[in-house]
Structures are given as C-alpha cells and as structure tokens.
Amino acid sequence: MTDTTTQAEINDEMRAIEAEARAQVDDGGAPELQPRRNYPPYRSSILRHPTHELVRVDPEEVELVSPAFGHTDVNVLESDLTIQHSGEPLGERITVSGRVLDGEGRPVRHQLVEVWQANAGGRYVHKRDQHPAPLDPNFTGVGRVITGDNGEYSFTTIKPGPYPWRNHLNAWRPTHIHFSLFGTAFTQRLITQMYFPGDPLFALDPIYQSITDPAARARLVGAYDHDLSVPEWSLGYRWDIVLTGPHATWMESEEAHD
Ligand SMILES: [Fe+2]
C-alpha cells in the first residue's frame, strides 16, 4: 500500500534530521558516516532496523577465512550486462569502472563484485516490481566480476532509469546501481549503491538522505570520466569503493531491495 505522506512532508522530516545532525557536528560530535538504521522518512526502515542488542557469536564458529575467487569461477563475459541475450538492450550504454580499496588505500584484489540494477526504463526483472514501465527482453540487469591486481573492476551496462517506490506519495529513487562486495570473509558481505552525478532526486530520496554526513553521501556518486568513455560506444563513469576507514563507502546493513 502506498503511504499517503507527501513529498513535501518527507522533505520537512529529512531537513529537520539533517539540521539536527549538522548541529551535533557543530557542537563537536563526530559526523555520521553510516546511514541511520532508524530513519523515519525511509518508512520501511522503521520495521527493518534491529530493536534488540546484537547476538554475539563465537568467532570460531563463523567463517573467518577470506573467500578466494579464481578467474575460473567467474566468466569474463559476466561483466558485460549488454551481451546476455540475443539482442542489444535499449538505453544509454555505459562503462562503470573503479577500484576496490581498503582504508589505507591498498587494492583489494581478486574479490567478487556483483551488481544488479533496473533497466533504462527504471524496471527490475522482479515480480515485486510491477510499475508500468516496460521490461526489456534483452536486459536482465545482473553482472559480476573479480577485481584485478590493482583492485580494479569494470562493467559494461545500460544506464538505469529512476523508478517509483511506495515510501510516500510520488516517491522516486535516484538512478543507482546496487553493488555487493565481500570483505575478508563471507560473513562480511557488503551491499551499497552507486549513484550518478547531478541527479535531481538526491534531495528528495530518504535512502540517500539517511546518511546525514554530506561528504559520506557524496562518496556514493560516481564521476563522469571522459577518458573512460569509449568513442562511438559508451559513456564512462568512475567509482572507487573504500571498504574501511574514515573514507569508507557507505554500506547497507542488509540486502535492501530498493
Ligand atoms: Fe534499486
């Protein structure tokens, strides 16, 4: 069911939280680099965030060995989301490249990076997504790649479209690509989203705004990189992902669908 809150009301809620967070930083508090788990403008976060203390587990019982993916585990063609069907998908072809780095700027090598996204019309191939935008028979929107020796990754895909969701009346997500990465263990799967520069929906989106620190938010936005653009083929966007440390890329606490 669609929440009947208006965008203006959501904006007021987001601006009030932002002002409160800014005041805390002005008073000497540390900036909040992670999203708030309880961020009321993002309506379903109220239901999803933990309400009890975390359950401690014996680290001996969980998997502490770094996952090791070899080049034979992932086919190189899986990083091109435009060649998975017999025809070409519709939309603006893009190259998305960057590096996965640890907090000290060292490359995170040979790690699995997975992406999923909507098509150019803003539609996911998922039965929960029933809004009236066309499916593209030539686009599934899922890809994966293993990072190279310098932590680099690269995908060829289609620029996804923004799409509506039912957080409030007339709620639209900014254009984004979902990313999944592993840290040093399977138990540390990290999920995040890359956005595109200049999106007019940033200020209106409670998921993007749930990170109250403007610099942490900005790290989720890829940069247009003309040197990455391929003549007569694709436009290039560069986005580095930092797994730990003060400049870490924001990571979701769970696998959110939106
Ligand atoms: Fe999404």
Side-chain angles (χ1 to χ4, degrees):
M1 209 183 85
T2 305
D3 189 298
T4 54
T5 315
T6 65
Q7 180 72 54
E9 289 166 328
I10 292 286
N11 289 352
D12 288 346
E13 292 180 31
M14 293 193 294
R15 297 298 93 81
I17 293 168
E18 190 173 48
E20 174 221 328
R22 203 180 311 119
Q24 281 176 20
V25 173
D26 290 346
D27 284 348
E32 294 176 46
L33 303 182
Q34 294 296 317
R36 293 192 175 186
R37 294 201 187 333
N38 182 16
Y39 187 75
Y42 179 7
R43 292 296 192 242
S44 69
S45 75
I46 297 165
L47 299 172
R48 273 199 265 148
H49 75 86
T51 54
H52 297 284
E53 281 295 297
L54 295 176
V55 176
R56 303 284 164 192
V57 296
D58 182 350
E60 304 264 315
E61 292 175 11
V62 298
E63 192 168 9
L64 291 175
V65 177
S66 176
F69 297 103
H71 286 290
T72 53
D73 296 321
V74 175
N75 190 301
V76 290
L77 298 178
E78 293 182 65
S79 64
D80 189 342
L81 285 71
T82 69
I83 57 167
Q84 296 174 347
H85 300 275
S86 57
E88 299 250 20
L90 293 171
E92 177 187 332
R93 189 184 295 107
I94 59 172
T95 300
V96 178
S97 298
R99 297 174 71 202
V100 181
L101 303 167
D102 70 13
E104 281 74 52
R106 294 175 299 210
V108 182
R109 306 183 169 94
H110 308 151
Q111 295 298 302
L112 182 66
V113 180
E114 298 167 290
V115 293
W116 63 99
Q117 62 164 96
N119 69 22
R123 181 88 189 260
Y124 282 98
V125 181
H126 189 296
K127 61 176 183 280
R128 269 181 62 188
D129 185 357
Q130 295 293 335
H131 88 276
L135 287 169
D136 184 341
N138 291 314
F139 192 73
T140 304
V142 175
R144 54 184 193 158
V145 74
I146 304 282
T147 58
D149 287 341
N150 289 314
E152 74 275 16
Y153 72 87
S154 186
F155 289 100
T156 302
T157 185
I158 294 294
K159 188 176 182 184
Y163 59 84
W165 61 310
R166 292 176 176 177
N167 186 69
H168 54 275
L169 278 177
N170 210 13
W172 290 78
R173 295 292 339 274
T175 296
H176 60 275
I177 298 176
H178 296 268
F179 274 71
S180 157
L181 299 109
F182 288 98
T184 55
F186 280 113
T187 48
Q188 296 174 346
R189 186 183 181 202
L190 300 170
I191 311 278
T192 187
Q193 301 179 20
M194 171 202 151
Y195 295 87
F196 289 80
D199 197 312
L201 295 168
F202 285 153
L204 308 179
D205 178 43
I207 293 182
Y208 185 71
Q209 295 293 327
S210 70
I211 309 157
T212 60
D213 182 64
R217 233 184 252 158
R219 286 196 285 274
L220 297 183
V221 183
Y224 173 69
D225 184 341
H226 199 62
D227 291 335
L228 256 185
S229 294
V230 181
E232 297 177 44
W233 181 249
S234 70
L235 290 178
Y237 290 89
R238 184 170 295 284
W239 189 53
D240 289 340
I241 302 164
V242 182
L243 295 180
T244 55
H247 300 295
T249 306
W250 160 75
M251 299 292 171
E252 294 172 20
S253 57
E254 60 190 284
E255 190 170 347
H257 141 268
D258 303 303

